[in-house]
Amino acid sequence: MDVSYLLDSLNDAQREAVSSPVEHRLVLAGAGSGKTRVLVHRIAWLMRVEGASPFGVLAVTFTNKAAAEMRVRLDSLLGIPISGMWVGTFHGIAHRLLRTHWTDANLPKTFQILDSEDQFRIVKRVHKALELDDTRWPPRQSQWYINGKKDEGLRPQYLDDNGDFQERKLIEIYQAYEASCQKSGVVDFAELLLRAHELLRDSPTLLAHYQNRFRHILVDEFQDTNTLQYAWLRLLVGKEGKLFAVGDDDQSIYGWRGAKIENIQRLNEDFSNVGVIRLEQNYRSTSNILSAANAIIEKNENRMGKKLWTADGQGEPILLYRALNELDEAQFVAERIQKLSESEGYSRNDFALLYRSNAQSRVLEEALIRAGLPYRIYGGLRFFERAEIKDAMAYLRLLKNRDDDTSFERVVNTPTRGIGQRTLDIIRTIAREQVTSMWRAAQFVVAENELTARAGNAVKVFLSLIDQMDEGTDSLLLHERVEQTIQQSGLIDHYKKEKGEKGQTRVENLGELVTAARYFKPSDDAEETEMDLLDAFLAHAALEAGESQSEPGDDCVQLMTLHSAKGLEFPVVFMCGLEEGLFPHKRSSMEPRQLEEERRLCYVGVTRARKQLILCHTEHRRLYGEDHYPQLSRFVREIPDELLEEVRQNYGAVRPSSMNSAFNSPIKKPSSQIGGLNLGQSVSHAKFGSGVVINFEGDGNHARVQVNFDTHGCKWLVLAYAKLETL
C-alpha cells in the first residue's frame, strides 16, 4: 500500500512525529508549526500503516471548532467515513460516556446540562435556602469555589475546613448545591468531567472495556489540561494504551482558570519512555518576528526548550511607537491602519489590535469610530455593553431621571440589598395600577406599609441612597460625579468579591469609565441642544453601545485581549499598552510563576503576527481612573535592538541605539533649538525634577521635548504644558 501521500507534504520533524513508533509521544509544537496537520496525519498513519481501527482511536481537543476541523481534515485525507472514531472536546467525550452509562453514573436518563448562568441561579437558590446574606457570601464566589474544587477532582465530603469558618461555610454551600443538582437531575460543565472520571475509576469492568478499546489516545493543546483532565487521561491510557500528546509549554497561558503547565512537564514521570519531538519550523511569521518571540520566551527558566525558525525571509522590522498618552496611542493605531490599507492593499480584516486588559479597548474603539473604521470585539463585548458598565450607567441615568424604570430594575438589587422578586412584583403591580413609574410606586409602598417590615426597609434604604448620591453633585466635574456614583453605589466592593481574573477586570473597567468621563467632550449637537454634561455623556454611551459591532465575516478591524488571540493569526498585529504594571500586569510582576505566564502571553501575542508587528507604549496613561507614568515593558526591552525600529508619527522610523536606555536615542531633527531650549540644556520640572534636553519634535502648540530626568528617566513632554525651567 502506497502511503507516501501521508508524508509528502510534511517537513522532516513533522514526518518524524507522524511516522514514529507506537509509543508514548510528546510533540512540542511551536506556534505556527502545523500541529493540527501532524495530529490528523498521525491518526491517518495509525489507521493506514499500523492497522488501527477507527473505533480504537480517541482524539481530544479543547474547542468544538478544533474538533470539527479535525473531522473534516480526516474525512478528506482518508476518503472514508470516520463516524466510529471518537473526536471531541473533553466535555463532549465525558458527556458521551455519561449518556451511554447513565445508570452506572447515578444519573437519570434525561439528565440536562447547566450553562454558567443556569448554575449561578441554582447557587443563588442554595444561598437563599441557607439564609445567607449575599453581600457577605457572594453567589459568584461560591460558584467559582465549586467549579475550582471540581476541577481538582474534590467532592465536598473530602474537603477539610482546617478550622476556617469561611471554608466551612463554602463546603456547606457546595454540599447543598450538589444535593440540589442531584435532585433535579442536572450537571454543570465541571461535573461532566468529574463524574466521567469517577465513572471509570469506580467501575473496573467499564474502565477495562474502554482501556482495551482506545489503544490510541491523541490530545491537542496538552499544556492547557487541568488536574482532573490529566487524571482522566492517565486512567484511560492505563498500561496498554499509547498517548500522543501535542502541546507547547511556551503557550500555557490559562493558569488562572485551572490549567497546569506541570502536566506537560511531568509526562516522563507518569508515563514510561515518552519520546519528545520538537516542531520548530514556523509557517506563519517572518524571521524578525520569530527572533523577537524567541528572545522574549528564552528568559523563562522553567521551559522544555525550542527555538522557532522559518525558511522565509527576514521581513519588515518590528516597529515601536512611543505615545504621549493612550489617546495618542489610539490615534496612531487608527492612522497607521489607514496608511497601511492604502499603501499595502490590506483589508481591515488583516489588522488585529491586542491588549492585556479589556479596559484598554474603550479608547481604541473611539479612535476607530472617529476614523470611520468598522471593528469587532473578538470574543467579547464593546466597552459600554459590559455588564458592570451598564450597571454604573443605570445608576447615573436614575440620578438624572427617577422615572427610568429600566434603570430602576437593573440597580434596585445590584449589589444585592435584600429586595427580592416578590417585592419587585408588588412594586410593578402598583406602578401599573397607578399608571406611574416604579420609583414612585416604590415610594408609595414604603409610605403605605404595603411590604413586610424587612422588605419595606430595604426599599427605603435604596430610595434614600439614590437621593443621597444626587445631593450636592451639581458643582462636581463629570468624572468626579461618575467616580462618586460608582463608589457610593457599592459596585466596586460588589465586584471585588467576584474572585479571579473576571472580578478584577470588572473593577478595572469601572475605573476606566471614570477615565472616559474625564476626557469626554460633548458633540456639536449636544452643545446646540444645551444638554448638560452628564446627559450628553449618557447619550454618548447609549449611542456607542447601540451601534452594533460588525458581524463575523465583515471586513472589519479585530480587537481582542491577548488571551482571546491564542490560536489566531493576522497579517498585521498591534500590541498596545506594553508598559510595566499593565503588561506584565502589576499583579504578576512580583511573583515568578505568574510573571513566566505573562511572558508566555507576550510570546503568544508576538507570534500572532504574520508580516508586521507594531508595538505601542505610552509615557502617561490614565487607566482604571488613575494616572500612570509607566516604564517600557521588560518584554520589549528583551527584544534585540537590531530587530526594532522606533517610529514617530509624521517622522518615519529610526533604529534605537540601545534597549537598555529605553529607546533614548535622539531622532535627527533639522533644528537644534525649540521654544528657547537647546539640546543638552539642563532643565527642571515640577514633578520629575532636574534633567537634560536630548531631543525635540514638532512645532507650535504640538511641539514636544524629550528630557532625560535624573530620577525618572526619559520623558516626552508637550512643551506648551511642561512648564520647564532652565537651570
Side-chain angles (χ1 to χ4, degrees):
M1 182 191 306
D2 182 14
V3 293
S4 60
Y5 73 97
L6 294 178
L7 302 176
D8 287 345
S9 63
L10 307 178
N11 64 36
D12 291 345
Q14 291 171 338
R15 287 193 194 100
E16 181 187 358
V18 167
S19 62
S20 61
V22 182
E23 299 292 342
H24 296 312
R25 286 288 179 270
L26 169 61
V27 179
L28 283 176
S33 62
K35 67 180 179 63
T36 305
R37 174 184 290 267
V38 166
L39 270 170
V40 170
H41 282 246
R42 174 64 173 181
I43 293 172
W45 180 272
L46 290 172
M47 294 172 60
R48 288 284 190 246
V49 178
E50 301 294 348
S53 163
F55 296 94
V57 176
L58 173 66
V60 189
T61 70
F62 268 82
T63 67
N64 290 313
K65 180 182 176 182
E69 181 183 354
M70 191 177 295
R71 290 191 195 97
V72 170
R73 290 200 191 187
L74 281 168
D75 274 332
S76 174
L77 189 61
L78 292 169
I80 59 172
I82 58 162
S83 54
M85 188 183 302
W86 283 30
V87 180
T89 64
F90 277 100
H91 291 97
I93 290 170
H95 176 238
R96 188 169 179 173
L97 280 170
L98 296 178
R99 285 290 179 200
T100 305
H101 306 285
W102 54 273
T103 303
D104 295 297
N106 192 26
L107 286 169
K109 186 175 183 179
T110 58
F111 74 85
Q112 299 299 309
I113 302 173
L114 299 169
D115 64 19
S116 181
E117 285 308 306
D118 290 334
Q119 182 190 31
F120 179 64
R121 281 191 282 272
I122 291 180
V123 171
K124 288 194 72 172
R125 288 203 296 271
V126 166
H127 276 225
K128 187 174 182 179
L130 294 175
E131 298 183 340
L132 296 175
D133 179 359
D134 284 352
T135 58
R136 184 178 181 189
W137 303 98
R140 288 288 182 199
Q141 181 179 351
S142 299
Q143 183 183 26
W144 171 81
Y145 177 86
I146 291 167
N147 290 337
K149 294 304 179 185
K150 286 189 178 186
D151 285 344
E152 293 291 323
L154 299 172
R155 293 289 186 191
Q157 59 267 34
Y158 303 121
L159 296 173
D160 189 346
D161 60 37
N162 294 313
D164 183 278
F165 173 75
Q166 183 174 14
E167 185 73 12
R168 183 161 64 250
K169 185 59 67 176
L170 287 169
I171 293 172
E172 182 183 350
I173 294 168
Y174 186 4
Q175 289 173 322
Y177 169 80
E178 282 216 321
S180 178
C181 289
Q182 189 67 29
K183 180 181 176 183
S184 302
V186 294
V187 296
D188 55 53
F189 273 86
E191 182 71 20
L192 285 172
L193 290 172
L194 179 52
R195 195 165 296 217
H197 177 261
E198 292 171 340
L199 170 69
L200 296 175
R201 183 196 65 193
D202 301 337
S203 307
T205 303
L206 210 56
L207 176 61
H209 166 76
Y210 282 106
Q211 285 179 337
N212 186 58
R213 174 177 175 174
F214 295 127
R215 293 301 181 94
H216 306 284
I217 298 178
L218 302 94
V219 185
D220 192 12
E221 304 286 8
F222 198 85
Q223 76 281 352
D224 293 334
T225 54
N226 63 25
T227 299
L228 185 57
Q229 289 161 343
Y230 186 71
W232 185 81
L233 287 169
R234 287 186 64 190
L235 195 62
L236 204 52
V237 171
K239 294 181 179 179
E240 302 298 328
K242 300 303 176 186
L243 178 67
F244 189 87
V246 180
D248 183 0
D249 59 324
D250 289 334
Q251 294 190 75
S252 179
I253 60 174
Y254 298 123
W256 50 275
R257 70 182 189 194
K260 301 287 187 182
I261 191 173
E262 296 88 350
N263 292 347
I264 196 170
Q265 295 170 338
R266 62 184 274 192
L267 274 176
N268 263 318
E269 300 174 18
D270 297 326
F271 296 88
S272 60
N273 302 317
V274 178
V276 179
I277 301 170
R278 289 170 169 80
L279 303 184
E280 299 175 305
Q281 184 174 359
N282 177 281
Y283 292 92
R284 175 189 301 157
S285 306
T286 66
S287 181
N288 280 339
I289 291 170
L290 297 181
S291 295
N294 289 331
I296 292 168
I297 200 64
E298 70 183 12
K299 300 295 182 182
N300 274 1
E301 295 181 1
N302 301 311
R303 57 189 295 263
M304 303 183 76
K306 65 182 174 309
K307 196 164 188 174
L308 296 179
W309 62 276
T310 179
D312 296 335
Q314 293 293 111
E316 296 288 329
I318 297 167
L319 300 183
L320 178 70
Y321 181 67
R322 176 170 50 194
L324 180 64
N325 53 35
E326 70 274 15
L327 302 176
D328 182 23
E329 176 186 53
Q331 182 180 342
F332 164 76
V333 169
E335 292 183 359
R336 181 62 58 154
I337 289 172
Q338 291 175 316
K339 180 179 179 180
L340 288 172
S341 297
E342 294 168 1
S343 63
E344 305 293 335
Y346 287 119
S347 65
R348 298 185 185 103
N349 267 328
D350 292 332
F351 298 97
L353 278 55
L354 311 184
Y355 38 80
R356 177 63 178 85
S357 167
N358 269 310
Q360 290 172 256
S361 80
R362 181 192 63 82
V363 180
L364 294 168
E365 288 181 60
E366 291 183 350
L368 294 174
I369 290 171
R370 285 195 303 271
L373 292 168
Y375 69 92
R376 183 167 76 96
I377 305 288
Y378 183 91
L381 298 170
R382 296 161 64 100
F383 182 78
F384 285 108
E385 291 174 342
R386 292 168 181 146
E388 60 276 13
I389 301 302
K390 292 173 77 172
D391 289 342
M393 300 305 282
Y395 272 106
L396 291 166
R397 285 197 299 270
L398 198 58
L399 293 180
K400 293 296 296 182
N401 177 17
R402 301 294 201 278
D403 295 331
D404 182 343
D405 284 353
T406 302
S407 297
F408 179 93
E409 288 206 56
R410 184 172 187 96
V411 300
V412 67
N413 201 42
T414 304
T416 52
R417 46 178 61 92
I419 301 175
Q421 196 59 48
R422 180 180 175 84
T423 300
L424 285 177
D425 287 342
I426 294 171
I427 293 174
R428 282 194 203 95
T429 300
I430 291 176
R432 188 166 54 249
E433 291 173 350
Q434 297 184 359
V435 193
T436 189
S437 67
M438 291 186 69
W439 175 272
R440 298 182 192 281
Q443 290 178 318
F444 175 82
V445 298
V446 169
E448 299 298 323
N449 295 318
E450 297 282 337
L451 302 170
T452 64
R454 182 178 178 181
N457 184 63
V459 173
K460 182 179 180 181
V461 168
F462 172 71
L463 297 175
S464 297
L465 172 66
I466 299 299
D467 286 337
Q468 290 168 9
M469 289 167 64
D470 198 23
E471 288 176 4
T473 59
D474 292 341
S475 61
L476 295 178
L477 297 174
L478 176 62
H479 72 277
E480 293 173 338
R481 190 169 189 182
V482 172
E483 184 172 27
Q484 179 175 294
T485 299
I486 290 172
Q487 291 290 346
Q488 292 183 350
S489 66
L491 289 175
I492 293 290
D493 291 337
H494 172 64
Y495 283 119
K496 278 183 177 178
K497 293 174 182 176
E498 190 174 335
K499 298 291 185 181
E501 183 97 1
K502 191 172 183 180
Q504 179 64 31
T505 296
R506 292 190 191 277
V507 172
E508 291 173 350
N509 286 340
L510 288 171
E512 182 60 16
L513 182 62
V514 178
T515 300
R518 177 185 288 269
Y519 290 121
F520 173 70
K521 292 181 180 179
S523 60
D524 293 339
D525 60 335
E527 292 182 350
E528 287 175 7
T529 54
E530 298 184 348
M531 296 173 66
D532 80 4
L533 206 52
L534 179 54
D535 278 329
F537 183 62
L538 293 171
H540 164 75
L543 290 171
E544 279 222 355
E547 186 179 324
S548 61
Q549 59 180 305
S550 303
E551 293 297 322
D554 289 350
D555 185 19
C556 55
V557 179
Q558 310 292 309
L559 278 72
M560 65 195 74
T561 63
L562 284 149
H563 282 100
S564 298
K566 187 171 179 291
L568 304 176
E569 60 181 77
F570 305 90
V572 184
V573 168
F574 293 83
M575 291 176 64
C576 303
L578 286 161
E579 301 143 20
E580 290 292 312
L582 182 55
F583 191 38
H585 198 283
K586 60 184 178 183
R587 295 194 307 270
S588 307
S589 297
M590 304 305 295
E591 211 287 313
R593 183 185 177 88
Q594 292 182 17
L595 181 59
E596 290 212 341
E597 182 157 318
E598 288 283 288
R599 184 172 279 108
R600 293 194 293 269
L601 187 59
C602 187
Y603 172 84
V604 166
V606 168
T607 54
R608 298 313 93 194
R610 286 166 48 195
K611 296 182 179 179
Q612 187 152 19
L613 176 64
I614 303 171
L615 311 177
C616 302
H617 70 111
T618 66
E619 297 168 5
H620 165 255
R621 183 181 296 274
R622 187 160 184 85
L623 190 65
Y624 319 142
E626 298 178 353
D627 284 302
H628 302 269
Y629 296 89
Q631 291 184 337
L632 179 65
S633 170
R634 70 191 69 189
F635 302 148
V636 181
R637 298 199 300 270
E638 290 164 359
I639 299 174
D641 297 347
E642 61 270 17
L643 300 177
L644 291 154
E645 281 187 358
E646 187 176 17
V647 61
R648 289 206 170 275
Q649 215 160 5
N650 303 322
Y651 288 96
V654 297
R655 190 174 305 283
S657 61
S658 173
M659 281 304 304
N660 293 328
S661 60
F663 292 98
N664 294 339
S665 58
I667 297 174
K668 294 180 180 179
K669 305 295 294 178
S671 172
S672 62
Q673 186 181 68
I674 192 169
L677 296 177
N678 298 305
L679 289 177
Q681 186 163 7
S682 296
V683 294
S684 176
H685 184 271
K687 183 179 181 67
F688 303 126
S690 59
V692 176
V693 176
I694 63 171
N695 201 6
F696 301 132
E697 181 177 277
D699 52 41
N701 290 333
H702 299 291
R704 298 204 301 170
V705 59
Q706 187 182 29
V707 181
N708 187 5
F709 290 103
D710 297 340
T711 56
H712 287 80
C714 282
K715 304 288 181 185
W716 277 96
L717 306 171
V718 177
L719 195 57
Y721 306 113
K723 298 181 180 179
L724 294 172
E725 295 182 5
T726 58
L727 297 178

